[in-house]
């Protein structure tokens, strides 16, 4: 959800917007992000400030990815513009996947302190990224967004990963999520084609639990 009434849905028609107050015929049509209009695999709204859980903090930004390697932070206020590239504030791409075309995003999660991005890929591993590596100790702010948004997009290279987590299988089924877990996001959880749940210790990458799920 973007707020108490509005939210986003990832679909084969792109990243779609909905409003619970409106009937179906009055909903917005088409993908909010042009480059994801063929398919949007995963998304996560990004809010600044403290969220009490009641969705009162509105969000103008969303992390999203589709049938490709990149995940990007998009400015939804630029929706409907002539160039989708103008919507991307920052991109994220694992170094090992620079030239791969056989992978796609399957899940996105954000850390509690809003400093890290967690992305799982179909036919590949799980990666963490710093949202803005040069952010202050207090965490990312609108100043970091404005700084990136005003930069020359050609020079604004994708941010590489912090760590990767593998061993699980994410090939035969799709849309496997990966989630931070623990009071301070000490763990990363995901599923596997084998029917097991994997729990990694974030700092060391060690598998601390391996559970039969289905």
């Amino acid at each position: 959800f973007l707020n108490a009434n509005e939210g986003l849905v990832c679909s084969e028609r792109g990243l779609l917007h909905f409003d619970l107050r409106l009937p179906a015929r009055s909903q917005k049509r088409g993908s909010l992000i042009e480059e994801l209009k063929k398919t949007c695999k995963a998304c996560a709204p990004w809010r600044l400030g403290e969220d009490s859980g009641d969705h009162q903090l509105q969000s103008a930004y969303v992390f999203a990815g589709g049938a490709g390697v990149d995940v990007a932070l998009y400015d939804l206020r630029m929706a409907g513009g002539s160039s989708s590239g103008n919507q991307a504030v920052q991109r994220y791409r694992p170094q090992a996947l620079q030239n791969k075309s056989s992978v796609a995003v399957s899940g996105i999660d954000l850390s509690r302190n809003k400093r890290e991005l967690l992305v799982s890929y179909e036919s590949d591993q799980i990666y963490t990224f710093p949202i803005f590596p040069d952010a202050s100790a207090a965490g990312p702010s609108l100043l970091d967004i404005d700084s990136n948004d005003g930069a020359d997009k050609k020079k604004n290279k994708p941010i590489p990963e912090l760590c990767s987590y593998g061993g699980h299988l994410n090939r035969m089924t799709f849309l496997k999520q990966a989630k931070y877990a623990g009071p301070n996001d000490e763990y990363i959880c995901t599923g596997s084609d084998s029917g097991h749940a994997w729990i990694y210790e974030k700092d060391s990458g060690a598998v601390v639990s391996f559970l039969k799920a289905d």
Side-chain angles (χ1 to χ4, degrees):
F1 276 85
L2 299 174
N3 55 48
N5 297 297
E6 298 174 84
L8 302 172
V9 175
C10 291
S11 75
E12 293 183 354
R13 293 185 291 122
L15 181 65
L16 307 180
H17 174 276
F18 68 87
D19 190 325
L20 297 175
R21 298 164 295 187
L22 300 177
R25 65 179 180 275
S26 299
Q27 299 291 339
K28 292 181 180 179
R29 304 290 181 180
S31 177
L32 295 178
I33 300 172
E34 180 68 18
E35 65 187 22
L36 296 179
K37 66 180 181 180
K38 292 186 177 179
T39 184
C40 180
K41 295 280 191 176
C43 67
W46 193 47
R47 299 177 181 86
L48 296 175
E50 295 296 326
D51 189 351
S52 62
D54 58 4
H55 303 298
Q56 291 305 306
L57 280 173
Q58 296 202 22
S59 176
Y61 302 92
V62 62
F63 291 97
V69 172
D70 284 4
V71 167
L73 175 62
Y74 295 97
D75 186 345
L76 294 179
R77 296 171 300 177
M78 301 295 291
S82 59
S83 174
S84 62
N86 291 335
Q87 291 178 258
V89 176
Q90 180 61 61
R91 296 183 182 275
Y92 306 84
R93 181 188 305 159
Q95 291 179 307
L97 303 184
Q98 293 283 355
N99 300 311
K100 272 198 172 184
S101 59
S102 59
V103 300
V105 175
S106 67
I108 296 174
D109 194 25
L110 302 176
S111 63
R112 292 174 185 268
N113 63 12
K114 302 174 185 176
R115 298 181 69 90
E116 284 187 12
L117 177 68
L118 180 67
V119 182
S120 58
Y121 285 89
E122 297 174 18
S123 301
D124 203 75
Q125 303 183 66
I126 299 167
Y127 299 87
T128 56
F129 301 86
I131 291 178
F132 290 114
D134 299 325
S136 69
S141 68
L142 287 173
L143 292 176
D144 297 298
I145 294 177
D146 291 340
S147 175
N148 274 49
D149 207 24
D152 183 350
K153 291 295 190 297
K154 293 181 180 179
K155 296 180 181 179
N156 192 11
K157 296 180 180 179
I159 292 176
E161 72 276 14
L162 288 169
C163 300
S164 63
Y165 306 84
H168 65 290
L169 296 175
N170 188 6
R171 296 187 181 92
M172 303 303 294
T173 56
F174 69 101
L175 292 184
K176 287 193 184 69
Q177 290 282 349
K179 290 286 187 180
Y180 285 108
N184 299 301
D185 294 334
E186 308 98 312
Y187 304 102
I188 292 173
C189 305
T190 192
S192 175
D193 290 345
S194 63
H196 292 85
W198 292 60
I199 302 177
Y200 302 89
E201 185 178 53
K202 189 184 78 169
D203 288 346
S204 68
V207 178
V208 296
S209 192
F210 180 68
L211 307 171
K212 181 65 176 176
D214 58 33

